[in-house]
Structures are given as C-alpha cells and as structure tokens.
Amino acid sequence: MEQAPRRITWIAFALNFIVYSENFVVAPFLRRLAELTGSTPAAMANLVLVYTLGIGFGALLLGPLGDRYGRRPMLLAGLGAFALFTGLTGAVSGYEALIVTRALCGVAAGVLLSSLMAYMADIFIAAGRLEAMPGAMGTAMGGIFAAIVFGVPAGIYAGYLVDWSLAFFVLALLAVVVLALVALALPAVPGMKSGLSYLGLLTSGFRLFTEPRLLLIGASFFLFQFVATAFGTHSPAWILSHGIGLDMLALLYAATGAVSVLAALRSGALIGRIGPAVALLLTNAVVLVTLIGIAMAGFGLVPLGLLLAAYLAGLAVRMGLIQAIATSSVDRMARGRFMGINNFLMQMGSSAGVWLLTLTLRTVPDPDAAFRIGVLGLAGVTLVSLLLGLVLLNPLRRATPAAPGKGAA
C-alpha cells in the first residue's frame, strides 16, 4: 500500500490518456469520415456527441456500483469493455455502426472515469496525503493533454494519410496494457457491502447536491467541460480553413499540448507555492483571457500557438484542482456516487458545448466569424466558472478517511 499513491497517479495518467485520445483522435478526421460515409462534417460531429453522452450516462448509471463492489473491479471491467468496443469501432464501417460502437465506448469510459478519481482519492486520503492530492491529480490529468499531443496528430495522419481505423486498434491495445497494470499493480479494496438497493445508491447520490457547496462543484464540472470539448472539437477545422497544412496543424497541437502536459506535471509545485484557492482563480483567468484573445486577434500561427499553449496549460492545472476539490468534499462511502454524477455533468457539458457551437457554425454564414462568436460565448461561460471559483475559496476539505478495506473501494 506504501507505493499505491504513486502507482495510481501514473496509471490514472495512462487511463486518462487512452480515454481522451479516443475523443481527440476523431476530431481532425471528421471531414474525412464524412467523405467516406457520404455524410457531412457537421453530422459526423455526432461521433463526438454520442461518445460524451455515453461517458455521462455510463458514469451516472454504473459509477455508484463502485461504492458497493469496489473500484478496482469496476476499473477492470471498464477497461475490458473499452478495449473491446474501441477495437470494434476500428473494424466497422458505415455511419450507424460507428455511432453505436462509439456510444458503447463512451459507456465503458464513463465507468472508468467515475471509478478512477474516487479510487485515487481513497488511496491518498487513507495515506494521510490530502495536501499532495491536487498535484497528483494534476499529474493524472496530464494524461488528457498528452492525448492532445497524440490524438490530434494521430487523427490527422491516420485519417488522411494512412487508415483512420488504425488509431482505434492502437488505443484498444493500449487499453489492454493498462488493464494488466491495474490487475497487477493496484491493491484490491473491498466495497461497502451496503444494504442500499441499486436505486437507493443512485438516488442517494443526487441527494448530495442539496448541499450548496457540492451543487457548485457539480456546476463547475459542467461548465469546465462545456468549454473544453466545444473548443477542442471545432478548432482543428477552423485552423485548417485558414490554409494551414496538416503537418503544421499536427506540429501546432503537439507543441501546445506538450506545454500543457508540462503544466500538469508541475501543477503540484505551483499549487504548493500559491495555494489551491489562488491557483483555481488564476487558471480560470488564464483560460478566460486566452479565449478572448483567440476570438479577437487576427489569425496568425505564432500568436495562435502562444494563446493555445497558455489556454491548454490553464485547463491542465484547473482540471486536477477541480477533481481534488470534488473528491475531498465527500466521505469515502459516497465518493463513487458523487464522482459518477460529476462525470455525468461533465459530459452533459461537453454535449451542450459541442451542440451550441455547432449550431452557431451552421447559423452564421461566415465560418470564421461564426467560430469567433462561438469562442466569445465560451469565454462568457468561463467567466461564470471564475465567479464560482470565488465561492469555492479554501477549496480542499478533509473528508472523513476510511482505512482501506473498511469503506467504499
């Protein structure tokens, strides 16, 4: 158990990398898939939408089971299902089949995400390392931004230059590798064995949000993902529309994504120096300012690259903080339910953000103006997140720890 905090941190990094690569890899070749399936890029954006919806409902409906049966078994089952359906996504052809397999991948990913952060918090709090948790979760969230470094270039090259299905076969193989790491390196911690029925577990999770602080945390998850997924889905096509080649786009995302990974890995040192409350406000402000800059500035590759790097770095640090705030705000026995609903809210935010930005792109005749208007709207959503951050000052709260084996897994 002594090495468990370090192991779960890096396994969480790898798992986040795989789950979010599954999403980022699709965005650059939506146009290519539209050509292959006889559809439109806007319609193919539904591949992102059904994946995020699947994550949300998978986390909501299956996340509470981790409080009863243990999070490690849920991680193993989720990884097995994720590997299977990811491989099937690469094997099928046709719009309808892709929609089905992507939705099933999303459900499996929802199980993973709701169990992972709760399990990570279980280990850190039980080890008496609450103050180290924001930095560790920031490192774990670095996997998401490493997925940008991998996913966008991989989507470009697989979608346009090799074979789009190759990306999914690689991710399925990586999921099998992480499954083996979970089975071999993470301790088995039993669940609560509570007397609550499944419906009781589910409804008791929603009752947590009668506490105003927990409700605001849920709203923060929704708004965070609203911005991140909407921008991440449509920005590659906007950049390509300005005459930027595929190689340059891949290089841009690799470079800016690398900055965000470094920010995530160094987030612990930053938070330790300025405190979690100031870090939360600062990162919200960075995201807000960079979105306004992207929307208002003239298009230029160098200024865009600098703004993207700062934007992604802000997201990287902020996401680990939000996870640490959430998991430390409830007791261990309810952590799976709480994080399941928060993951559901995140994916509903993703779906709403993608849908509204897509609607803007369809409504405004000038594609460049439409994207800039949409990004200004995302800046407005970020301003609301900043105001919520003011309410959540002193963000970390020490939940009642339970020794491993005596509480929820």
Side-chain angles (χ1 to χ4, degrees), residues 223-256:
L223 296 175
F224 178 93
Q225 206 71 8
F226 184 106
V227 172
T229 306
F231 184 84
T233 299
H234 287 289
S235 56
W238 175 70
I239 296 170
L240 288 171
S241 71
H242 286 80
I244 301 300
L246 293 173
D247 287 342
M248 187 56 68
L249 180 65
L251 180 62
L252 176 67
Y253 271 88
T256 57

Side-chain angles (χ1 to χ4, degrees), residues 256-315:
T256 57
V259 171
S260 65
V261 174
L262 180 61
L265 296 179
R266 298 295 300 162
S267 61
L270 173 67
I271 295 167
R273 185 174 296 116
I274 66 176
V278 176
L280 183 64
L281 296 180
L282 177 62
T283 52
N284 273 312
V286 168
V287 173
L288 173 63
V289 170
T290 52
L291 285 174
I292 293 172
I294 291 169
M296 301 298 292
F299 188 89
L301 199 57
V302 172
L304 176 63
L306 293 173
L307 287 168
L308 275 177
Y311 163 77
L312 292 172
L315 285 184

Side-chain angles (χ1 to χ4, degrees), residues 112-171:
L112 295 174
L113 295 179
S114 61
S115 300
L116 180 65
M117 289 295 103
Y119 186 46
M120 192 171 178
D122 290 348
I123 290 176
F124 272 81
I125 292 174
R129 298 183 59 187
L130 177 69
E131 298 306 319
M133 199 164 68
M137 288 192 169
T139 297
M141 293 300 108
I144 298 175
F145 300 92
I148 297 175
V149 179
F150 166 81
V152 174
I156 290 169
Y157 289 114
Y160 290 88
L161 303 177
V162 188
D163 182 356
W164 65 269
S165 61
L166 178 64
F168 293 102
F169 293 141
V170 170
L171 288 172

